Amino acid sequence: GQQVMQIPQYQHVQEGEDFTTYCNSSTTLSNIQWYKQRPGGHPVFLIQLVKSGEVKKQKRLTFQFGEAKKNSSLHITATQTTDVGTYFCADQFYFGTGTSLTVIP
Amino acid sequence: GAVVSQHPSWVICKSGTSVKIECRSLDFQATTMFWYRQFPKQSLMLMATSNEGSKATYEQGVEKDKFLINHASLTLSTLTVTSAHPEDSSFYICSANHRDHSYEQYFGPGTRLTVT
């Protein structure tokens, strides 16, 4: 199956700093999903983006879908220790490589 | 709503034996369930798509005779790892696709399999 690449693979930030993870596909995506997996846990659905250029917000999280529908990003403003985990984008049922976020108190 | 359970949460078995993992959607009917495998610090790899009442669809490279999937009802799918070997040790996670929510998946808590 296809794989969507994510960068960076790892990110360490000080609490209060912002964080962004990028998701890139070589093919046009019909839609994209974002999940969060806490250490030792299972993925939890965050959001789905469908429209070209779509921007959705969930509190401190901002999700964007590129105009060409080949990339997406997740931005977290003012990170908190509760944001720790691995963030995955998914092309339908195929998961991206993930970005592991560590927040230093 | 949309809770998925998995049993067992962990299992240790001897090489050559078979292990069955159950995945249940507790409060909704799942026409489709998915089985993933995840190695430490890696992404989830889709193994197969399980459809109620029909044969599972396996991803390329996944041995269907080794990973037997049965989806007997709208709330239960099982994965049997046959003749397990140490290299089959991994974290197996199932998910269910709610009928009304396209690609939104609800994941079970996962099963940690260790083959000795």
Side-chain angles (χ1 to χ4, degrees), chain A residues 1 3 9-10 30-31 33 35 37 40-45 48 88 92-98, chain B residues 34 36 38 41-44 46 49 59-60 91 93 97 101-110:
Chain A
Q3 187 168 54
Q9 187 176 0
Y10 301 97
S30 54
N31 50 61
Q33 299 78 42
Y35 293 82
Q37 184 177 24
H42 59 275
V44 174
F45 175 81
Q48 175 170 281
F88 293 100
Q92 300 181 19
F93 309 114
Y94 299 95
F95 276 64
T97 48
Chain B
F34 306 86
Y36 291 85
Q38 186 176 35
K41 299 188 185 301
Q42 293 191 24
S43 184
L44 286 80
L46 180 65
T49 302
E59 294 297 305
Q60 190 173 8
F91 191 52
I93 316 179
N97 179 223
H101 292 100
S102 63
Y103 301 111
E104 181 176 343
Q105 296 183 73
Y106 301 94
F107 282 84

Side-chain angles (χ1 to χ4, degrees), chain B residues 9-26:
Chain B
S9 56
W10 61 270
V11 58
I12 301 173
C13 71
K14 292 186 176 181
S15 188
T17 61
S18 296
V19 174
K20 180 185 284 189
I21 303 170
E22 291 187 349
C23 178
R24 294 181 185 272
S25 57
L26 298 184

Side-chain angles (χ1 to χ4, degrees), chain A residues 1-5 23-32 65-66 68-72 91-92 94:
Chain A
Q2 57 269 40
Q3 187 168 54
V4 179
M5 302 304 294
C23 185
N24 296 292
S25 172
S26 57
T27 59
T28 301
L29 305 169
S30 54
N31 50 61
I32 195 163
F65 202 5
K69 300 182 76 173
K70 287 187 173 182
N71 55 71
S72 181
D91 169 19
Q92 300 181 19
Y94 299 95

Side-chain angles (χ1 to χ4, degrees), chain B residues 46-59:
Chain B
L46 180 65
M47 298 174 66
T49 302
S50 168
N51 297 294
E52 185 264 336
S54 64
K55 290 184 178 180
T57 302
Y58 290 83
E59 294 297 305

Side-chain angles (χ1 to χ4, degrees), chain A:
Chain A
Q2 57 269 40
Q3 187 168 54
V4 179
M5 302 304 294
Q6 278 181 257
I7 55 170
Q9 187 176 0
Y10 301 97
Q11 184 78 61
H12 292 68
V13 299
Q14 289 288 143
E15 189 172 17
E17 291 182 341
D18 292 356
F19 160 76
T20 304
T21 172
Y22 300 91
C23 185
N24 296 292
S25 172
S26 57
T27 59
T28 301
L29 305 169
S30 54
N31 50 61
I32 195 163
Q33 299 78 42
W34 284 92
Y35 293 82
K36 176 184 178 181
Q37 184 177 24
R38 293 181 183 272
H42 59 275
V44 174
F45 175 81
L46 295 177
I47 210 162
Q48 175 170 281
L49 304 173
V50 178
K51 299 176 183 177
S52 168
E54 189 171 15
V55 178
K56 286 188 177 180
K57 292 191 176 184
Q58 289 180 350
K59 298 182 180 179
R60 294 179 294 104
L61 277 61
T62 301
F63 303 84
Q64 287 189 311
F65 202 5
E67 293 289 343
K69 300 182 76 173
K70 287 187 173 182
N71 55 71
S72 181
S73 65
L74 158 59
H75 179 83
I76 302 178
T77 304
T79 55
Q80 300 175 359
T81 54
T82 52
D83 295 325
V84 165
T86 301
Y87 293 85
F88 293 100
C89 61
D91 169 19
Q92 300 181 19
F93 309 114
Y94 299 95
F95 276 64
T97 48
T99 295
S100 176
L101 173 64
T102 300
V103 180
I104 305 164

